[in-house]
Amino acid sequence: LIAKSDLNQLHIWNLSDVSSPTPTATLSGHQEGACESNFALDTSRDTNPKVLSGDRDGRILMWDIGEVVSNPHHGMDVCAQSEFHGHSATVEDVCFHPSSAKEFCSVGDDQLLLFWDERKGKKPVLTAPKWCEVDLHCVDWNAADDNLLVTGDADGGTFVFDRRKVSGPKGEASPLHPLKQHQDAVFRVGWLPESRTHFGSG
């Protein structure tokens, strides 16, 4: 279990050892106050897990927690492995590629959807053109089709994108399905497991 709070540290808890009141490991690297009211957090799904966390300074940090999982002992302090820069405002959400701990995407208050590949440096490899003038709150990557993503924004909109064609012929944003059903901000989106076509939002 990984917990994130307003403090500048994340904590990993080993639920198989509930007798201990202390976390197995602490993940450090965020600046003081950078995580206040920030919920951008994700873990990779592979056997050597990594953690992503975004903050109010527009930074995204990555930790390798393979050692924590394979050889846990209380009091471990893990420093961030990598730091990524591309957002100019708060990073609201981050999401790993369904089958790669090297690739991920992010959204933020700068209205940007960014794609990243750790193997290609600390800057985004693809930026989707802006399609709205409000904060982007959330993003999820489809596990059944890794070309599909869905985002939610502060104006109640949800947008499905194909990462192979996030831009139209004139460079404009090109969502596959712009949907507006909510009357207020969307804070969470998620694809149904193994589905290319169904997702939830709220």
Side-chain angles (χ1 to χ4, degrees), residues 49-199:
K50 294 185 178 182
V51 175
L52 286 173
S53 176
D55 65 25
R56 296 170 65 88
D57 295 334
R59 302 185 310 155
I60 300 172
L61 301 185
M62 178 185 286
W63 294 266
D64 186 334
I65 60 169
E67 179 67 19
V68 177
V69 174
S70 62
N71 185 29
H73 56 273
H74 291 283
M76 300 177 71
D77 188 7
V78 183
C79 296
Q81 170 190 4
S82 301
E83 183 176 314
F84 301 88
H85 297 267
H87 287 283
S88 60
T90 296
V91 180
E92 293 284 3
D93 200 10
V94 289
C95 184
F96 273 108
H97 185 284
S99 58
S100 172
K102 300 290 187 182
E103 300 176 64
F104 61 95
C105 62
S106 60
V107 294
D109 289 353
D110 51 7
Q111 300 99 41
L112 290 178
L113 166 62
L114 303 180
F115 294 85
W116 311 77
D117 188 330
E118 184 189 16
R119 297 162 295 194
K120 298 181 180 179
K122 305 301 187 288
K123 296 290 185 181
V125 295
L126 177 64
T127 300
K130 289 187 179 181
W131 66 91
C132 65
E133 297 300 322
V134 297
D135 299 349
L136 298 180
H137 283 165
C138 47
V139 61
D140 194 37
W141 211 318
N142 191 303
D145 185 341
D146 66 2
N147 289 309
L148 299 179
L149 300 96
V150 60
T151 65
D153 66 33
D155 198 33
T158 55
F159 296 83
V160 177
F161 282 90
D162 185 325
R163 65 169 172 161
R164 298 168 297 184
K165 42 189 176 183
V166 294
S167 302
K170 297 181 179 179
E172 75 279 10
S174 183
L176 294 177
H177 304 291
L179 306 170
K180 182 69 184 295
Q181 295 294 322
H182 294 278
Q183 302 304 309
D184 209 337
V186 176
F187 289 102
R188 188 69 177 170
V189 289
W191 292 96
L192 271 65
E194 308 306 321
S195 174
R196 297 181 66 256
T197 56
H198 293 80
F199 67 88

Side-chain angles (χ1 to χ4, degrees), residues 13-65:
W13 301 84
N14 182 2
L15 298 184
S16 65
D17 182 14
V18 295
S19 62
S20 174
T22 59
T24 302
T26 298
L27 309 184
S28 59
H30 284 297
Q31 300 300 312
E32 192 70 33
C35 292
E36 184 177 345
S37 300
N38 183 272
F39 310 101
L41 177 67
D42 196 25
T43 56
S44 64
R45 300 161 177 83
D46 58 1
T47 55
N48 187 36
K50 294 185 178 182
V51 175
L52 286 173
S53 176
D55 65 25
R56 296 170 65 88
D57 295 334
R59 302 185 310 155
I60 300 172
L61 301 185
M62 178 185 286
W63 294 266
D64 186 334
I65 60 169

